[in-house]
Amino acid sequence: MMKAVYNFASGPAILPREVMQAVQAELLDWGGRGYSVLETSHRWPDFMQIMAETEQLLRELLSVPDNYHVLFMQGGGTQQFAMVPLNLLGDKKQIDVIMSGYWTDKAAQEARRYGAVRLAADTLSEGATRLPDQAQLDISPQSAYVYYCANETIHGLEYDYVPQSGAVPLVADASSNLLSRAMDVAAHGLIFACAQKNFGLPGLTVVVVRKDLVGRCAPHWPAILNYQSYADTHSLWNTPVTFAIYLAHRILKWLKDQGGVAAIEQRNIEKAALLYRAIDESEGFYANRIAPRFRSRMNAPFSLRNPALEADFLASAQEAGLVQLQGHRSVGGLRASMYNAMPLAGVQALVDFMHLFMHRHG
Amino acid sequence: MMKAVYNFASGPAILPREVMQAVQAELLDWGGRGYSVLETSHRWPDFMQIMAETEQLLRELLSVPDNYHVLFMQGGGTQQFAMVPLNLLGDKKQIDVIMSGYWTDKAAQEARRYGAVRLAADTLSEGATRLPDQAQLDISPQSAYVYYCANETIHGLEYDYVPQSGAVPLVADASSNLLSRAMDVAAHGLIFACAQKNFGLPGLTVVVVRKDLVGRCAPHWPAILNYQSYADTHSLWNTPVTFAIYLAHRILKWLKDQGGVAAIEQRNIEKAALLYRAIDESEGFYANRIAPRFRSRMNAPFSLRNPALEADFLASAQEAGLVQLQGHRSVGGLRASMYNAMPLAGVQALVDFMHLFMHRHG
């Protein structure tokens, strides 16, 4: 039998093994139909039922209120960086951004094409080692919305609270932690997430948006970037990413079978605690510089006291079946991503390896 | 052994069986790495090599000159309906469209947001049963580009020549026939195609664009719709659709093994001839209303003299293993799509069934 390999990539990332096995089993013959789900028309009734069920599973797992659309589109978070301002600015001129890291900065860069970006807080410029408290948020009632990134995948920062924005709609980039923890949808005007962290493949993006916020996009903007296009067509404005939706459907069913978001959140807490404890108890051999309260459960960046050992660490880890552990090119170092599909055994194997490596080089 | 099923969907559509088998075999363990290609980071060197090889295969199979970019993006043809004018209008105010069917009309509707649309010809308003001749094209030198749809998937119309546009750049929507026949890339300023007809899955879009046409998009337009974003980053502007690129890579290798575009074109000619002959020799039991010269090799819409038999035709065909034969909802009737991956045996099986059905009801 092949040795288990654990993949710590930050996305595209590890998928539930049971789901992958089921997908493989029916890849040539989808549910006895004699052809593959990869080959089916998006307008075939069997496929449209999968789309409807996928929406329903998301509504159920995330407790989405009825006055919200659940929309499927393409282009990932990067496309949302344009869509959110184009659709939500309306006749306002300004948005508030809680600047916390690489991904809020990217979103703000794109938003500046369309309006003024005001910083409701800025913990990036002070080093991105923590997130602001609610008390530190300075939100302008003139802003069309307040934007934050619920989990900064690269810096390894995750909110432990939902920012309160009063009457100003709150927008969350939840790309890397949607479905990994309880999230109060009703506190948000809009939440978006790409699928390649906790529910599948790049190409699929889910947008949960309060219905009254749809319909404000000016008609001179491209229809492909208008939420209304998707709301009006049950997300069939253009050909949807059929296989990614089919895979998300299976992953969401798997998540429900695991006990849903509440149950997976407990496992994610355990996994993160195990890894951060190993780092903290290494007496500085390993280090994570994030204030403990805001450490991400999904992505743990860490460094070695002696950075010259990094290449050895990565090569030895790979030999031990622990792969794709390098940090993002913008910050370097190492990073372990521990999405829903990463079993506790995977994090335990990483921690065991880290102990061994430390003793070899300590 | 299971009876063969032939899938005539218009896209997403049939894929080469040998490719599907190879993909299935390594779905859990990609080339011995111990994890799935679905789970790999797009920045992992092994995956970046696949992207580079996919571009190289496209360049080779399509004989793409060096002064053209080959770019990967998302959003299908619908996204290109916005991207083409946003990027190619420059300081011109007008474009020429050769109006031939549903898909040029869709493209023109979107283009009107950005400039004036002038019709260089219009065979849609006269019933969409043929395409214009070169002599009928009235092209304005004031236009930023001339736009045409190389194959109208819904109406079943396909050009048998490349429109000559003089000094005005020519833009082709080749979504449903790219790689199915020889195509003179150098005669075009830009060619785009979604992958779900002849090279894989929805979500992946290929744009082949002359390098001097990139860089004209005004900075107030979304970066995600600017070709420069993709040209500057080797199509890693955002997370690409990794699995769709991996699948395209395998399909392009399969196509090369089949003898490339020239060889597949011969097979496509044979397949189309077989089906249209069966229609034409049915003495009106079946009908296709397209002028023979412009009949699409990829998509053959047809009707029954007695439309009341349609439901029976579809149900009996499905029982015979011939699936997804209904026409597009906008035009009704029946449609058989015969992309590269459809074997001659599939079209033969359809023709045999059509004979049987005709004799049963004749």
Side-chain angles (χ1 to χ4, degrees):
Chain A
M1 193 189 130
M2 203 179 63
K3 195 168 157 304
V5 169
Y6 295 109
N7 178 358
F8 292 91
S10 63
I14 190 168
L15 299 168
R17 195 77 183 170
E18 308 91 293
V19 169
M20 292 296 294
Q21 284 163 341
V23 168
Q24 182 184 42
E26 71 165 14
L27 197 72
L28 295 188
D29 183 12
W30 175 37
R33 291 171 184 83
Y35 54 87
S36 174
V37 69
L38 299 178
E39 301 171 309
T40 193
S41 165
H42 51 297
R43 294 196 182 271
W44 195 244
D46 297 350
F47 184 77
M48 290 181 54
Q49 189 183 332
I50 285 192
M51 276 189 81
E53 288 178 13
T54 307
E55 176 181 336
Q56 197 45 51
L57 281 161
L58 281 166
R59 287 190 177 276
E60 189 182 331
L61 288 163
L62 296 170
S63 304
V64 178
D66 287 344
N67 62 324
Y68 284 71
H69 292 294
V70 174
L71 306 175
F72 302 125
M73 49 197 81
Q74 301 182 38
T78 304
Q79 184 160 319
Q80 295 308 311
F81 297 165
M83 288 185 80
V84 169
L86 292 184
N87 283 272
L88 265 52
L89 262 169
D91 48 16
K92 306 246 173 157
K93 306 270 182 263
Q94 163 191 295
I95 64 170
D96 269 3
V97 169
I98 307 179
M99 182 61 72
S100 59
Y102 183 95
W103 290 110
T104 36
D105 190 40
K106 282 272 194 193
Q109 282 174 38
E110 182 66 23
R112 283 193 189 95
R113 294 177 202 270
Y114 320 111
V117 170
R118 194 181 161 276
L119 301 187
D122 180 4
T123 47
L124 173 59
S125 68
E126 55 174 68
T129 57
R130 64 174 189 100
L131 293 168
D133 281 317
Q134 175 69 43
Q136 293 169 300
L137 301 181
D138 166 28
I139 291 168
S140 162
Q142 305 307 317
S143 288
Y145 59 91
V146 180
Y147 181 97
Y148 78 110
C149 178
N151 183 71
E152 288 276 5
T153 319
I154 290 173
H155 289 100
L157 288 156
E158 187 172 13
Y159 281 82
D160 64 349
Y161 71 103
V162 174
Q164 288 170 40
S165 57
V168 183
L170 182 66
V171 174
D173 172 359
S175 285
S176 47
N177 69 350
L178 191 74
L179 294 161
S180 76
R181 63 188 300 151
M183 194 166 185
D184 181 4
V185 172
H188 295 80
L190 186 150
I191 300 171
F192 68 83
C194 57
Q196 67 263 30
K197 317 292 187 178
N198 279 308
F199 55 105
L201 289 184
L204 174 60
T205 316
V206 165
V207 175
V208 179
V209 56
R210 221 173 61 209
K211 289 179 177 172
D212 65 288
L213 295 175
V214 173
R216 304 176 175 195
C217 184
H220 62 272
W221 293 113
I224 190 115
L225 299 184
N226 189 332
Y227 292 128
Q228 190 82 56
S229 305
Y230 304 87
D232 285 349
T233 59
H234 294 281
S235 300
L236 289 172
W237 168 249
N238 58 352
T239 307
V241 285
T242 47
F243 181 63
I245 291 172
Y246 157 87
L247 187 63
H249 178 259
R250 287 201 164 268
I251 292 171
L252 295 173
K253 285 210 287 191
W254 169 85
L255 179 53
K256 193 175 160 182
D257 290 345
Q258 302 290 306
V261 170
I264 210 86
E265 177 168 10
Q266 283 311 309
R267 277 187 14 202
N268 289 333
I269 291 172
E270 272 181 70
K271 281 149 51 185
L274 182 62
L275 179 59
Y276 286 116
R277 192 163 55 239
I279 292 169
D280 291 343
E281 292 178 354
S282 74
E283 298 179 348
F285 186 86
Y286 301 109
N288 167 282
R289 57 196 206 97
I290 305 301
R293 178 183 157 195
F294 296 116
R295 282 173 165 176
S296 168
R297 295 173 188 163
M298 296 288 102
N299 316 95
F302 58 101
S303 55
L304 294 172
R305 184 193 290 137
N306 177 2
L309 293 176
E310 257 177 38
D312 184 10
F313 182 95
L314 288 169
S316 306
Q318 173 129 2
E319 263 176 55
L322 307 163
V323 304
Q324 305 205 9
L325 278 159
Q326 55 281 82
H328 189 266
R329 64 198 189 289
S330 66
V331 295
L334 306 162
R335 176 171 52 167
S337 294
M338 302 169 284
Y339 298 118
N340 286 353
M342 175 61 70
L344 185 63
V347 180
Q348 186 63 57
L350 173 60
V351 163
D352 292 346
F353 168 79
M354 288 167 69
H355 283 139
L356 275 175
F357 186 84
M358 180 169 70
H359 290 126
R360 203 194 310 158
H361 294 281
Chain B
M1 197 189 129
M2 202 179 65
K3 193 167 159 306
V5 168
Y6 295 109
N7 177 357
F8 292 90
S10 63
I14 190 167
L15 300 169
R17 194 79 182 167
E18 309 91 294
V19 169
M20 292 296 294
Q21 284 163 341
V23 168
Q24 182 184 42
E26 70 166 14
L27 198 71
L28 295 187
D29 183 13
W30 175 36
R33 292 171 183 81
Y35 54 88
S36 175
V37 68
L38 299 177
E39 301 171 310
T40 192
S41 166
H42 51 297
R43 295 197 181 269
W44 195 242
D46 297 349
F47 184 78
M48 290 181 55
Q49 189 183 332
I50 284 191
M51 277 190 82
E53 287 179 14
T54 306
E55 175 181 338
Q56 197 44 50
L57 282 161
L58 282 165
R59 287 189 175 277
E60 189 181 331
L61 288 163
L62 297 169
S63 304
V64 177
D66 286 345
N67 62 325
Y68 285 71
H69 292 293
V70 174
L71 306 175
F72 302 125
M73 49 198 81
Q74 301 182 39
T78 304
Q79 183 161 321
Q80 295 307 310
F81 298 164
M83 288 185 80
V84 168
L86 293 184
N87 284 271
L88 264 53
L89 262 170
D91 47 17
K92 306 245 172 155
K93 306 270 181 263
Q94 164 191 294
I95 64 170
D96 268 4
V97 169
I98 307 178
M99 182 61 71
S100 59
Y102 183 95
W103 290 110
T104 35
D105 191 40
K106 282 272 194 192
Q109 282 174 38
E110 182 67 22
R112 284 193 190 96
R113 294 176 202 271
Y114 320 111
V117 169
R118 194 181 161 277
L119 300 187
D122 179 6
T123 46
L124 174 60
S125 68
E126 55 173 70
T129 58
R130 63 174 190 99
L131 294 167
D133 280 318
Q134 174 69 43
Q136 294 168 298
L137 301 181
D138 166 28
I139 291 168
S140 163
Q142 305 308 316
S143 288
Y145 59 92
V146 180
Y147 181 98
Y148 78 111
C149 178
N151 183 71
E152 287 278 3
T153 319
I154 290 173
H155 289 100
L157 289 156
E158 187 172 12
Y159 282 82
D160 64 348
Y161 70 102
V162 174
Q164 288 170 40
S165 57
V168 183
L170 181 66
V171 174
D173 172 359
S175 284
S176 47
N177 69 350
L178 192 74
L179 293 161
S180 76
R181 64 188 298 150
M183 192 166 187
D184 182 4
V185 173
H188 294 81
L190 185 148
I191 300 170
F192 68 84
C194 57
Q196 68 264 29
K197 318 290 187 180
N198 279 308
F199 55 106
L201 290 185
L204 175 61
T205 315
V206 164
V207 175
V208 180
V209 55
R210 220 174 60 210
K211 289 180 178 172
D212 65 290
L213 295 174
V214 174
R216 302 174 175 197
C217 184
H220 62 272
W221 294 112
I224 190 115
L225 299 183
N226 189 332
Y227 292 128
Q228 189 83 56
S229 304
Y230 304 87
D232 286 350
T233 59
H234 294 282
S235 299
L236 289 171
W237 168 250
N238 58 352
T239 307
V241 285
T242 47
F243 182 63
I245 291 172
Y246 157 87
L247 187 63
H249 178 260
R250 287 200 165 267
I251 292 172
L252 296 173
K253 285 210 287 190
W254 169 86
L255 179 53
K256 193 175 160 183
D257 290 345
Q258 303 289 306
V261 169
I264 210 86
E265 178 168 9
Q266 284 311 308
R267 279 191 7 205
N268 289 333
I269 290 171
E270 273 181 71
K271 282 151 48 185
L274 182 61
L275 178 59
Y276 286 116
R277 192 162 55 238
I279 292 170
D280 290 343
E281 293 178 354
S282 73
E283 297 178 348
F285 187 86
Y286 301 109
N288 167 282
R289 56 194 208 97
I290 304 302
R293 178 182 157 195
F294 296 116
R295 283 174 165 176
S296 168
R297 296 174 187 162
M298 297 289 102
N299 317 95
F302 58 101
S303 55
L304 294 172
R305 185 193 289 137
N306 178 1
L309 293 176
E310 256 177 39
D312 184 10
F313 182 95
L314 288 169
S316 306
Q318 172 130 3
E319 263 176 54
L322 306 163
V323 305
Q324 305 206 9
L325 278 159
Q326 57 280 78
H328 190 266
R329 66 198 188 287
S330 66
V331 295
L334 306 161
R335 177 172 50 167
S337 294
M338 304 169 283
Y339 299 117
N340 286 352
M342 175 61 70
L344 184 63
V347 180
Q348 186 62 59
L350 173 61
V351 163
D352 292 346
F353 168 78
M354 288 167 70
H355 284 139
L356 275 176
F357 186 84
M358 179 169 69
H359 290 125
R360 204 193 310 158
H361 295 281

